[in-house]
Amino acid sequence: MNWLMNNLPYVGQLSALHLLQSIIPVIAGTLISIPIARLAVGRRRDGRSTAGHTAGSAFKRGAVVNTAALLYTIPSLALFVLMPLVLGTSITSPLNVYVALTIYVVAMMVRSAVDAFESVSPVTLESATAMGYKPVRRFWAVELPLAVPVMLAGLRVALVSNISMVSVGAVIGIQSLGTLFTDGLRRNLPAEIIVGIVGTVVLALILDRLLALIGAWLTRWRKA
Amino acid sequence: MNIFDKTWAWFTADGAWTGAGGIFQRVAEHLGYSALILLIAAVIAVPIGLMVGHTGRGENVVVAITGALRALPTLGLLTLFALWLGLGLVAPIAALVILAIAPLLAGVYSGIAAVDKVTVDAARAQGMTESQILRKVELPLALPLIFGGIRNAALQVIATVTVVAYINLGGLGRYLIDGLAVRDYPRMVAAVVLVALLALIVDALLALLQRALTPRGTR
C-alpha cells in the first residue's frame, strides 16, 4: 500500500499506457475480423447460408478459422520481438505491441465472428430481402446487428486476454503496467508486482463491464 | 544474406541441434515444463469441472473464476512467485498452472453441462448410478468440448512457457531472451519457428488422441 501511495502518478501513467495498448488492438482487430469472417461464411444472394452445404464453402471456412488459430500459437513475446523486422520500427516502439496484439485479436475474433454470422437465421435474412432490403443495407440493418450477441461473447474473451498480454511487452522495454513486473523483479519489490497484477485485473474488470454495457445498448431490441 | 538465409544458417550451424543448449535439449525442456504444467492443471481442473458440470452446483462460481483467471497477467504471477519462491522450477510451474486452469475448467465444465438432459435422464431411468452416468454417458458425449479445452490449454501453455526463460530457466524461450539481449534476430526467428512447430505437432497429436477416444457412435 505504501509503495502504491508513493508512486501513484507513475502507476497512473503506466495504467494509461496499458489502457491504450489494450483498446487500440481490440478495435483494430475487430474491424479486420468482421469482413474476413463475413466473407468466410459466404451466403447466396437470396440470403441462405451456404456454410456446410458445399465443399467449397466448408473449405473456405475451415481455411480461415484454422489460419487464425495458427496465428495464436506464436508466443506473444516472440511476436513483439519480430515486429521490428516486419515493420521496420525500433524494438521499443509501442507500434510493435499495437500490431502484434491486433494479430492476436484477429486470431481470436475471426472464429467467433464466423460463429456469429452463422447464428443469424437465414429465414430472417430472406424476410428482409422480401421486404425490399438490398444486400448492403440488409447487412448493416439486419445481419450485423443480429450477429452482435455472439460476437460480443468472443470480444469479451479477446479483450480480457489482450489486457493480460499487453504486460509481456515490458520484457522488451515497452512501458505498461507490465513494467511494474520487470522492475519489481529487478528491485526485489513484491509490492510493486502486486500493484501491477491488481491494476491489470481491475482494468480488465472495468473494460469488460464497459463492453458488456455497450453490448446491451447495441442490442437493446432484445429486451423488448 | 537476408533474415531467412541467416535463420537457415543458424539451424544448420555446427552444434545447433545437439549438445548443451542445443535444439534437442531446449525442445525437451520446453515439452517437459509444458507437460508437467498441463498435468498439474488437469488434476485440479478436471474433477472440479466434472462435479460442477454434473451437479450444476457452483456454475456461477466457475464462470466467474475462469473469467478472473484469464485477466491475471502471467508475467506478473511469474515475477511475483520468483521473488517469493526463488528462481527454481516451482515459481514458473505455479504461475503457468494458474494460466492453464481456466481453459481446462471451462472445457470440462461446459462439455458436461452441454450434454442433453433428456439423455442423462434416460440413463438414470435405466438404473445407472450417478457415477456410471458421469463416466459412461456424460464423459463420452462431452469429449469434443473437453478436448477443445485441453487443446486450447496446451497451445497457451506451449506458447507461454517461453517467458520462463526470463527468470533464467531453459526451454525454447532461452533463444528469444538470449537473442534479444544481443539483438540476434536469426536466433529469435528460429525460436518462433520452433515454438510454432511444437504447438502444431502437439495439437495434431491431441486431435488424433481425441479421434481415438471418441466413441464411434458420437463421431
Side-chain angles (χ1 to χ4, degrees), chain A residues 61-91:
Chain A
R61 180 191 188 279
V64 167
V65 169
N66 289 331
T67 309
L70 178 66
L71 289 174
Y72 203 68
T73 64
I74 306 173
S76 49
L77 181 59
L79 212 49
F80 293 156
V81 166
L82 293 181
M83 274 302 133
L85 280 185
V86 183
L87 301 172
T89 45
S90 86
I91 195 151

PDB file of all heavy atoms in Angstrom, chain A residues 61-91:
ATOM      1  N   ARG A  61     -14.261 -21.789 -45.079  1.00  0.00           N
ATOM      2  CA  ARG A  61     -14.483 -21.519 -43.655  1.00  0.00           C
ATOM      3  C   ARG A  61     -13.371 -22.154 -42.825  1.00  0.00           C
ATOM      4  O   ARG A  61     -12.776 -21.527 -41.958  1.00  0.00           O
ATOM      5  CB  ARG A  61     -15.837 -22.092 -43.245  1.00  0.00           C
ATOM      6  CG  ARG A  61     -16.177 -21.874 -41.801  1.00  0.00           C
ATOM      7  CD  ARG A  61     -17.388 -22.714 -41.439  1.00  0.00           C
ATOM      8  NE  ARG A  61     -17.859 -22.383 -40.099  1.00  0.00           N
ATOM      9  CZ  ARG A  61     -17.306 -22.860 -39.000  1.00  0.00           C
ATOM     10  NH1 ARG A  61     -16.268 -23.658 -39.070  1.00  0.00           N
ATOM     11  NH2 ARG A  61     -17.786 -22.528 -37.817  1.00  0.00           N
ATOM     12  N   GLY A  62     -13.067 -23.433 -43.135  1.00  0.00           N
ATOM     13  CA  GLY A  62     -12.036 -24.131 -42.391  1.00  0.00           C
ATOM     14  C   GLY A  62     -10.684 -23.460 -42.544  1.00  0.00           C
ATOM     15  O   GLY A  62      -9.936 -23.301 -41.573  1.00  0.00           O
ATOM     16  N   ALA A  63     -10.364 -23.038 -43.765  1.00  0.00           N
ATOM     17  CA  ALA A  63      -9.069 -22.402 -44.017  1.00  0.00           C
ATOM     18  C   ALA A  63      -8.940 -21.131 -43.192  1.00  0.00           C
ATOM     19  O   ALA A  63      -7.911 -20.888 -42.559  1.00  0.00           O
ATOM     20  CB  ALA A  63      -8.925 -22.092 -45.510  1.00  0.00           C
ATOM     21  N   VAL A  64      -9.991 -20.317 -43.179  1.00  0.00           N
ATOM     22  CA  VAL A  64      -9.936 -19.050 -42.449  1.00  0.00           C
ATOM     23  C   VAL A  64      -9.813 -19.294 -40.952  1.00  0.00           C
ATOM     24  O   VAL A  64      -8.950 -18.724 -40.274  1.00  0.00           O
ATOM     25  CB  VAL A  64     -11.193 -18.193 -42.760  1.00  0.00           C
ATOM     26  CG1 VAL A  64     -11.306 -17.046 -41.785  1.00  0.00           C
ATOM     27  CG2 VAL A  64     -11.118 -17.681 -44.182  1.00  0.00           C
ATOM     28  N   VAL A  65     -10.650 -20.199 -40.422  1.00  0.00           N
ATOM     29  CA  VAL A  65     -10.644 -20.434 -38.977  1.00  0.00           C
ATOM     30  C   VAL A  65      -9.322 -21.060 -38.521  1.00  0.00           C
ATOM     31  O   VAL A  65      -8.753 -20.686 -37.497  1.00  0.00           O
ATOM     32  CB  VAL A  65     -11.852 -21.320 -38.580  1.00  0.00           C
ATOM     33  CG1 VAL A  65     -11.719 -21.799 -37.144  1.00  0.00           C
ATOM     34  CG2 VAL A  65     -13.141 -20.546 -38.760  1.00  0.00           C
ATOM     35  N   ASN A  66      -8.789 -22.003 -39.328  1.00  0.00           N
ATOM     36  CA  ASN A  66      -7.537 -22.667 -38.926  1.00  0.00           C
ATOM     37  C   ASN A  66      -6.326 -21.754 -39.042  1.00  0.00           C
ATOM     38  O   ASN A  66      -5.425 -21.819 -38.211  1.00  0.00           O
ATOM     39  CB  ASN A  66      -7.319 -23.940 -39.741  1.00  0.00           C
ATOM     40  CG  ASN A  66      -8.300 -25.021 -39.353  1.00  0.00           C
ATOM     41  OD1 ASN A  66      -8.745 -25.067 -38.208  1.00  0.00           O
ATOM     42  ND2 ASN A  66      -8.672 -25.860 -40.286  1.00  0.00           N
ATOM     43  N   THR A  67      -6.305 -20.901 -40.072  1.00  0.00           N
ATOM     44  CA  THR A  67      -5.199 -19.954 -40.189  1.00  0.00           C
ATOM     45  C   THR A  67      -5.193 -19.024 -38.980  1.00  0.00           C
ATOM     46  O   THR A  67      -4.144 -18.728 -38.399  1.00  0.00           O
ATOM     47  CB  THR A  67      -5.332 -19.105 -41.466  1.00  0.00           C
ATOM     48  OG1 THR A  67      -5.540 -19.979 -42.563  1.00  0.00           O
ATOM     49  CG2 THR A  67      -4.084 -18.282 -41.706  1.00  0.00           C
ATOM     50  N   ALA A  68      -6.386 -18.599 -38.578  1.00  0.00           N
ATOM     51  CA  ALA A  68      -6.491 -17.717 -37.420  1.00  0.00           C
ATOM     52  C   ALA A  68      -5.971 -18.421 -36.176  1.00  0.00           C
ATOM     53  O   ALA A  68      -5.223 -17.848 -35.379  1.00  0.00           O
ATOM     54  CB  ALA A  68      -7.936 -17.275 -37.227  1.00  0.00           C
ATOM     55  N   ALA A  69      -6.329 -19.704 -36.016  1.00  0.00           N
ATOM     56  CA  ALA A  69      -5.891 -20.454 -34.839  1.00  0.00           C
ATOM     57  C   ALA A  69      -4.372 -20.615 -34.839  1.00  0.00           C
ATOM     58  O   ALA A  69      -3.731 -20.584 -33.788  1.00  0.00           O
ATOM     59  CB  ALA A  69      -6.565 -21.821 -34.801  1.00  0.00           C
ATOM     60  N   LEU A  70      -3.797 -20.750 -36.043  1.00  0.00           N
ATOM     61  CA  LEU A  70      -2.343 -20.917 -36.165  1.00  0.00           C
ATOM     62  C   LEU A  70      -1.613 -19.678 -35.652  1.00  0.00           C
ATOM     63  O   LEU A  70      -0.594 -19.778 -34.970  1.00  0.00           O
ATOM     64  CB  LEU A  70      -1.997 -21.183 -37.628  1.00  0.00           C
ATOM     65  CG  LEU A  70      -0.520 -21.348 -37.969  1.00  0.00           C
ATOM     66  CD1 LEU A  70       0.014 -22.601 -37.304  1.00  0.00           C
ATOM     67  CD2 LEU A  70      -0.317 -21.427 -39.465  1.00  0.00           C
ATOM     68  N   LEU A  71      -2.150 -18.501 -35.964  1.00  0.00           N
ATOM     69  CA  LEU A  71      -1.531 -17.254 -35.511  1.00  0.00           C
ATOM     70  C   LEU A  71      -1.409 -17.241 -33.999  1.00  0.00           C
ATOM     71  O   LEU A  71      -0.482 -16.677 -33.428  1.00  0.00           O
ATOM     72  CB  LEU A  71      -2.377 -16.048 -35.945  1.00  0.00           C
ATOM     73  CG  LEU A  71      -2.395 -15.701 -37.418  1.00  0.00           C
ATOM     74  CD1 LEU A  71      -3.387 -14.575 -37.670  1.00  0.00           C
ATOM     75  CD2 LEU A  71      -1.011 -15.271 -37.863  1.00  0.00           C
ATOM     76  N   TYR A  72      -2.371 -17.906 -33.357  1.00  0.00           N
ATOM     77  CA  TYR A  72      -2.432 -17.869 -31.904  1.00  0.00           C
ATOM     78  C   TYR A  72      -1.306 -18.668 -31.258  1.00  0.00           C
ATOM     79  O   TYR A  72      -1.017 -18.487 -30.085  1.00  0.00           O
ATOM     80  CB  TYR A  72      -3.797 -18.397 -31.443  1.00  0.00           C
ATOM     81  CG  TYR A  72      -4.170 -17.910 -30.086  1.00  0.00           C
ATOM     82  CD1 TYR A  72      -4.455 -16.570 -29.880  1.00  0.00           C
ATOM     83  CD2 TYR A  72      -4.212 -18.770 -29.005  1.00  0.00           C
ATOM     84  CE1 TYR A  72      -4.772 -16.106 -28.628  1.00  0.00           C
ATOM     85  CE2 TYR A  72      -4.536 -18.311 -27.749  1.00  0.00           C
ATOM     86  CZ  TYR A  72      -4.809 -16.982 -27.566  1.00  0.00           C
ATOM     87  OH  TYR A  72      -5.108 -16.522 -26.325  1.00  0.00           O
ATOM     88  N   THR A  73      -0.664 -19.581 -32.014  1.00  0.00           N
ATOM     89  CA  THR A  73       0.393 -20.407 -31.424  1.00  0.00           C
ATOM     90  C   THR A  73       1.697 -19.637 -31.288  1.00  0.00           C
ATOM     91  O   THR A  73       2.609 -20.087 -30.613  1.00  0.00           O
ATOM     92  CB  THR A  73       0.694 -21.645 -32.285  1.00  0.00           C
ATOM     93  OG1 THR A  73       1.204 -21.211 -33.544  1.00  0.00           O
ATOM     94  CG2 THR A  73      -0.538 -22.484 -32.498  1.00  0.00           C
ATOM     95  N   ILE A  74       1.824 -18.492 -31.967  1.00  0.00           N
ATOM     96  CA  ILE A  74       3.072 -17.736 -31.869  1.00  0.00           C
ATOM     97  C   ILE A  74       3.117 -17.071 -30.496  1.00  0.00           C
ATOM     98  O   ILE A  74       2.183 -16.371 -30.125  1.00  0.00           O
ATOM     99  CB  ILE A  74       3.151 -16.664 -32.971  1.00  0.00           C
ATOM    100  CG1 ILE A  74       2.935 -17.315 -34.336  1.00  0.00           C
ATOM    101  CG2 ILE A  74       4.486 -15.946 -32.927  1.00  0.00           C
ATOM    102  CD1 ILE A  74       2.841 -16.322 -35.459  1.00  0.00           C
ATOM    103  N   PRO A  75       4.174 -17.280 -29.713  1.00  0.00           N
ATOM    104  CA  PRO A  75       4.235 -16.660 -28.392  1.00  0.00           C
ATOM    105  C   PRO A  75       4.193 -15.140 -28.516  1.00  0.00           C
ATOM    106  O   PRO A  75       4.780 -14.586 -29.452  1.00  0.00           O
ATOM    107  CB  PRO A  75       5.584 -17.105 -27.830  1.00  0.00           C
ATOM    108  CG  PRO A  75       6.051 -18.200 -28.699  1.00  0.00           C
ATOM    109  CD  PRO A  75       5.378 -18.063 -30.011  1.00  0.00           C
ATOM    110  N   SER A  76       3.501 -14.488 -27.576  1.00  0.00           N
ATOM    111  CA  SER A  76       3.348 -13.029 -27.688  1.00  0.00           C
ATOM    112  C   SER A  76       4.711 -12.349 -27.628  1.00  0.00           C
ATOM    113  O   SER A  76       4.984 -11.407 -28.378  1.00  0.00           O
ATOM    114  CB  SER A  76       2.439 -12.503 -26.582  1.00  0.00           C
ATOM    115  OG  SER A  76       2.841 -13.001 -25.333  1.00  0.00           O
ATOM    116  N   LEU A  77       5.585 -12.878 -26.772  1.00  0.00           N
ATOM    117  CA  LEU A  77       6.917 -12.296 -26.656  1.00  0.00           C
ATOM    118  C   LEU A  77       7.626 -12.325 -28.013  1.00  0.00           C
ATOM    119  O   LEU A  77       8.231 -11.341 -28.446  1.00  0.00           O
ATOM    120  CB  LEU A  77       7.718 -13.090 -25.616  1.00  0.00           C
ATOM    121  CG  LEU A  77       9.141 -12.624 -25.340  1.00  0.00           C
ATOM    122  CD1 LEU A  77       9.137 -11.189 -24.860  1.00  0.00           C
ATOM    123  CD2 LEU A  77       9.797 -13.508 -24.297  1.00  0.00           C
ATOM    124  N   ALA A  78       7.492 -13.471 -28.702  1.00  0.00           N
ATOM    125  CA  ALA A  78       8.136 -13.625 -29.998  1.00  0.00           C
ATOM    126  C   ALA A  78       7.580 -12.634 -31.010  1.00  0.00           C
ATOM    127  O   ALA A  78       8.315 -12.020 -31.785  1.00  0.00           O
ATOM    128  CB  ALA A  78       7.930 -15.050 -30.499  1.00  0.00           C
ATOM    129  N   LEU A  79       6.266 -12.465 -30.962  1.00  0.00           N
ATOM    130  CA  LEU A  79       5.633 -11.565 -31.926  1.00  0.00           C
ATOM    131  C   LEU A  79       6.087 -10.120 -31.703  1.00  0.00           C
ATOM    132  O   LEU A  79       6.370  -9.391 -32.656  1.00  0.00           O
ATOM    133  CB  LEU A  79       4.119 -11.682 -31.779  1.00  0.00           C
ATOM    134  CG  LEU A  79       3.277 -11.496 -33.026  1.00  0.00           C
ATOM    135  CD1 LEU A  79       3.784 -12.328 -34.175  1.00  0.00           C
ATOM    136  CD2 LEU A  79       1.833 -11.859 -32.732  1.00  0.00           C
ATOM    137  N   PHE A  80       6.195  -9.725 -30.428  1.00  0.00           N
ATOM    138  CA  PHE A  80       6.666  -8.364 -30.128  1.00  0.00           C
ATOM    139  C   PHE A  80       8.068  -8.163 -30.683  1.00  0.00           C
ATOM    140  O   PHE A  80       8.397  -7.128 -31.235  1.00  0.00           O
ATOM    141  CB  PHE A  80       6.710  -8.119 -28.609  1.00  0.00           C
ATOM    142  CG  PHE A  80       5.360  -8.102 -27.955  1.00  0.00           C
ATOM    143  CD1 PHE A  80       5.219  -8.393 -26.606  1.00  0.00           C
ATOM    144  CD2 PHE A  80       4.232  -7.765 -28.676  1.00  0.00           C
ATOM    145  CE1 PHE A  80       3.982  -8.377 -25.996  1.00  0.00           C
ATOM    146  CE2 PHE A  80       2.990  -7.746 -28.071  1.00  0.00           C
ATOM    147  CZ  PHE A  80       2.868  -8.061 -26.729  1.00  0.00           C
ATOM    148  N   VAL A  81       8.887  -9.201 -30.495  1.00  0.00           N
ATOM    149  CA  VAL A  81      10.290  -9.103 -30.875  1.00  0.00           C
ATOM    150  C   VAL A  81      10.456  -9.065 -32.398  1.00  0.00           C
ATOM    151  O   VAL A  81      11.335  -8.392 -32.925  1.00  0.00           O
ATOM    152  CB  VAL A  81      11.062 -10.301 -30.267  1.00  0.00           C
ATOM    153  CG1 VAL A  81      12.423 -10.441 -30.903  1.00  0.00           C
ATOM    154  CG2 VAL A  81      11.205 -10.125 -28.766  1.00  0.00           C
ATOM    155  N   LEU A  82       9.585  -9.786 -33.095  1.00  0.00           N
ATOM    156  CA  LEU A  82       9.746  -9.896 -34.548  1.00  0.00           C
ATOM    157  C   LEU A  82       9.147  -8.728 -35.305  1.00  0.00           C
ATOM    158  O   LEU A  82       9.479  -8.495 -36.460  1.00  0.00           O
ATOM    159  CB  LEU A  82       9.115 -11.191 -35.048  1.00  0.00           C
ATOM    160  CG  LEU A  82       9.817 -12.454 -34.579  1.00  0.00           C
ATOM    161  CD1 LEU A  82       9.137 -13.682 -35.142  1.00  0.00           C
ATOM    162  CD2 LEU A  82      11.277 -12.429 -35.020  1.00  0.00           C
ATOM    163  N   MET A  83       8.246  -7.978 -34.660  1.00  0.00           N
ATOM    164  CA  MET A  83       7.568  -6.890 -35.357  1.00  0.00           C
ATOM    165  C   MET A  83       8.532  -5.878 -35.997  1.00  0.00           C
ATOM    166  O   MET A  83       8.310  -5.453 -37.121  1.00  0.00           O
ATOM    167  CB  MET A  83       6.608  -6.171 -34.402  1.00  0.00           C
ATOM    168  CG  MET A  83       5.256  -6.834 -34.331  1.00  0.00           C
ATOM    169  SD  MET A  83       4.494  -6.910 -35.950  1.00  0.00           S
ATOM    170  CE  MET A  83       3.944  -8.585 -35.987  1.00  0.00           C
ATOM    171  N   PRO A  84       9.608  -5.492 -35.294  1.00  0.00           N
ATOM    172  CA  PRO A  84      10.525  -4.525 -35.911  1.00  0.00           C
ATOM    173  C   PRO A  84      11.065  -5.006 -37.255  1.00  0.00           C
ATOM    174  O   PRO A  84      11.275  -4.196 -38.160  1.00  0.00           O
ATOM    175  CB  PRO A  84      11.659  -4.414 -34.886  1.00  0.00           C
ATOM    176  CG  PRO A  84      11.038  -4.774 -33.599  1.00  0.00           C
ATOM    177  CD  PRO A  84       9.994  -5.807 -33.916  1.00  0.00           C
ATOM    178  N   LEU A  85      11.254  -6.325 -37.382  1.00  0.00           N
ATOM    179  CA  LEU A  85      11.747  -6.877 -38.649  1.00  0.00           C
ATOM    180  C   LEU A  85      10.755  -6.642 -39.765  1.00  0.00           C
ATOM    181  O   LEU A  85      11.106  -6.354 -40.899  1.00  0.00           O
ATOM    182  CB  LEU A  85      11.941  -8.389 -38.519  1.00  0.00           C
ATOM    183  CG  LEU A  85      13.202  -8.885 -37.846  1.00  0.00           C
ATOM    184  CD1 LEU A  85      13.255 -10.398 -37.931  1.00  0.00           C
ATOM    185  CD2 LEU A  85      14.416  -8.285 -38.532  1.00  0.00           C
ATOM    186  N   VAL A  86       9.466  -6.811 -39.431  1.00  0.00           N
ATOM    187  CA  VAL A  86       8.428  -6.702 -40.437  1.00  0.00           C
ATOM    188  C   VAL A  86       8.092  -5.236 -40.702  1.00  0.00           C
ATOM    189  O   VAL A  86       7.904  -4.824 -41.854  1.00  0.00           O
ATOM    190  CB  VAL A  86       7.153  -7.454 -39.972  1.00  0.00           C
ATOM    191  CG1 VAL A  86       6.090  -7.421 -41.037  1.00  0.00           C
ATOM    192  CG2 VAL A  86       7.514  -8.892 -39.607  1.00  0.00           C
ATOM    193  N   LEU A  87       8.024  -4.452 -39.625  1.00  0.00           N
ATOM    194  CA  LEU A  87       7.530  -3.080 -39.752  1.00  0.00           C
ATOM    195  C   LEU A  87       8.651  -2.060 -39.936  1.00  0.00           C
ATOM    196  O   LEU A  87       8.393  -0.921 -40.318  1.00  0.00           O
ATOM    197  CB  LEU A  87       6.738  -2.693 -38.494  1.00  0.00           C
ATOM    198  CG  LEU A  87       5.533  -3.555 -38.151  1.00  0.00           C
ATOM    199  CD1 LEU A  87       4.986  -3.174 -36.786  1.00  0.00           C
ATOM    200  CD2 LEU A  87       4.450  -3.399 -39.198  1.00  0.00           C
ATOM    201  N   GLY A  88       9.885  -2.459 -39.622  1.00  0.00           N
ATOM    202  CA  GLY A  88      10.989  -1.506 -39.691  1.00  0.00           C
ATOM    203  C   GLY A  88      10.975  -0.493 -38.560  1.00  0.00           C
ATOM    204  O   GLY A  88      11.596   0.557 -38.646  1.00  0.00           O
ATOM    205  N   THR A  89      10.268  -0.820 -37.466  1.00  0.00           N
ATOM    206  CA  THR A  89      10.219   0.088 -36.317  1.00  0.00           C
ATOM    207  C   THR A  89      11.400  -0.204 -35.393  1.00  0.00           C
ATOM    208  O   THR A  89      12.087  -1.207 -35.571  1.00  0.00           O
ATOM    209  CB  THR A  89       8.927  -0.131 -35.519  1.00  0.00           C
ATOM    210  OG1 THR A  89       8.734  -1.532 -35.375  1.00  0.00           O
ATOM    211  CG2 THR A  89       7.744   0.483 -36.199  1.00  0.00           C
ATOM    212  N   SER A  90      11.623   0.663 -34.398  1.00  0.00           N
ATOM    213  CA  SER A  90      12.641   0.351 -33.401  1.00  0.00           C
ATOM    214  C   SER A  90      12.039  -0.649 -32.424  1.00  0.00           C
ATOM    215  O   SER A  90      10.818  -0.753 -32.309  1.00  0.00           O
ATOM    216  CB  SER A  90      13.069   1.609 -32.655  1.00  0.00           C
ATOM    217  OG  SER A  90      12.206   1.835 -31.569  1.00  0.00           O
ATOM    218  N   ILE A  91      12.889  -1.390 -31.705  1.00  0.00           N
ATOM    219  CA  ILE A  91      12.376  -2.512 -30.915  1.00  0.00           C
ATOM    220  C   ILE A  91      11.516  -2.066 -29.741  1.00  0.00           C
ATOM    221  O   ILE A  91      10.638  -2.802 -29.280  1.00  0.00           O
ATOM    222  CB  ILE A  91      13.530  -3.429 -30.451  1.00  0.00           C
ATOM    223  CG1 ILE A  91      12.968  -4.766 -29.966  1.00  0.00           C
ATOM    224  CG2 ILE A  91      14.377  -2.787 -29.373  1.00  0.00           C
ATOM    225  CD1 ILE A  91      13.875  -5.921 -30.139  1.00  0.00           C
TER     226      ILE A  91
END
